[in-house]
Amino acid sequence: GRGRGAKASLAAADDDESRSSRDEGDEGGGGDEDDSNDSEAAFDKFERHAPDDARPDELAVLNGDVVEYGERVETILGPAYFALEDDTPFSIGRKLFALARAEEGRKSALPSHDGAETEKTTNVSYMNNARDLAESFDLETCGNAIVALNERRLPGLRLRSKLHEGTRLWLSPGSPEEKAHVHKTLARFRCGALLAALQKHECALIFSEPVDHVKLGIPDYPEIVKTPMDLGTVKRKLENGEYDEIGPSGFVADAQLAFENCLLYNPRGSEARQMGEIMLKELRIKWVALGF
């Protein structure tokens, strides 16, 4: 069927886009170290097969013969997306993200039982609130997760790889084991690239290690900042596999905590607070640019 997906379903990205992706760490390894070289065992472990008793209409949907391309589709093997020509995992993730937030906004605008409007946060404020980066993370709207879920079926798949029309992409893990694999892959490789990008920023130095309130002469720091965090600690946790199970949401929660603590302690207008605001903005930018 049109949606089966094969190596030929990848179109070459243009040179500028590929180069930009490499500059941002996009071309780094997408697979897990334990599953290196796209081993046959790892491929078989997560391969999906239609049940023997599947109906013809279910198979038609599964193969992309009777579905709208460019939309999320429910199949008997899980949610999928059949690509439009030149779609990329990055563009698909952003599209699905926008649709999900629009649906949340629509639901939040519905009258409550007493006729009052609900006060849930809308999509506009979401993009301005760094805390929601962790709270709203969803594998189904993550370009990097799309890569991790499909790169074994589509060798060479990267975040900005252009796809041919009808290429089928899985949007969620087919088993708990595959979910654990995807979380581990995203934490160790993609979050590692995000951390490296943050550490290169000129304002990152003051966040590179725990705040020494004794050395800095700020004895009230522990009273105000109850949960200290810094990028050095984030890096150690990443290297020790402490984000493997929870995935990117745990990583980004800690990263933004390091910057939010800076805003919590330092007064408005201070140099340190300005650096914290800059790094929070940089985190939001990199979070999106690197496929989350």
Side-chain angles (χ1 to χ4, degrees), residues 37-275:
N37 298 322
D38 285 328
S39 68
E40 192 66 26
F43 179 88
D44 290 341
K45 184 176 181 180
F46 302 130
E47 190 174 9
R48 307 187 194 195
H49 301 279
D52 293 336
D53 60 352
R55 302 190 311 269
D57 61 314
E58 293 174 326
L59 292 176
V61 171
L62 185 64
N63 291 333
D65 297 328
V66 292
V67 301
E68 289 291 332
Y69 293 167
E71 297 181 2
R72 185 182 187 275
V73 177
E74 292 293 342
T75 80
I76 54 175
L77 296 181
Y81 178 97
F82 293 87
L84 300 172
E85 188 70 21
D86 289 342
D87 265 344
T88 68
F90 179 85
S91 67
I92 293 168
R94 298 315 298 165
K95 178 195 293 186
L96 296 175
F97 176 87
L99 291 174
R101 298 291 83 78
E103 178 63 15
E104 287 183 6
R106 186 190 67 80
K107 290 180 179 179
S108 70
L110 293 176
S112 62
H113 293 299
D114 61 2
E117 294 291 324
T118 62
E119 297 182 355
K120 285 185 63 177
T121 304
T122 63
N123 184 34
V124 174
S125 60
Y126 163 81
M127 291 307 297
N128 295 322
N129 189 342
R131 289 185 184 276
D132 287 339
L133 290 178
E135 296 171 1
S136 299
F137 175 76
D138 185 351
L139 285 178
E140 291 193 20
T141 63
C142 173
N144 281 314
I146 292 174
V147 173
L149 285 165
N150 297 277
E151 61 186 344
R152 297 192 183 282
R153 275 192 319 112
L154 299 169
L157 183 65
R158 292 291 184 268
L159 185 62
R160 299 180 189 277
S161 297
K162 293 182 180 179
L163 299 161
H164 287 309
E165 184 178 74
T167 302
R168 184 183 62 201
L169 299 165
W170 300 118
L171 298 181
S172 69
S175 66
E177 293 77 17
E178 187 175 17
K179 183 176 182 179
H181 163 76
V182 171
H183 271 160
K184 185 176 180 180
T185 297
L186 296 185
R188 294 203 176 190
F189 292 95
R190 306 314 305 141
C191 290
L194 177 54
L195 178 60
L198 290 174
Q199 290 177 314
K200 292 177 182 178
H201 197 280
E202 61 183 359
C203 294
L205 184 61
I206 66 170
F207 302 99
S208 62
E209 58 185 26
V211 173
D212 187 337
H213 65 278
V214 176
K215 181 179 179 180
L216 294 174
I218 47 176
D220 61 340
Y221 187 84
E223 299 175 8
I224 297 174
V225 177
K226 302 299 184 182
T227 310
M229 186 53 62
D230 61 277
L231 296 184
T233 298
V234 172
K235 182 178 181 180
R236 286 191 292 274
K237 292 177 71 172
L238 191 61
E239 293 173 343
N240 292 336
E242 295 183 41
Y243 300 119
D244 286 1
E245 184 174 349
I246 191 172
S249 59
F251 164 85
V252 77
D254 278 351
Q256 62 196 30
L257 178 61
F259 308 138
E260 288 171 346
N261 284 344
C262 178
L263 271 60
L264 177 63
Y265 183 79
N266 295 285
R268 292 183 182 277
S270 65
E271 184 179 5
R273 184 186 176 96
Q274 290 174 357
M275 295 172 78

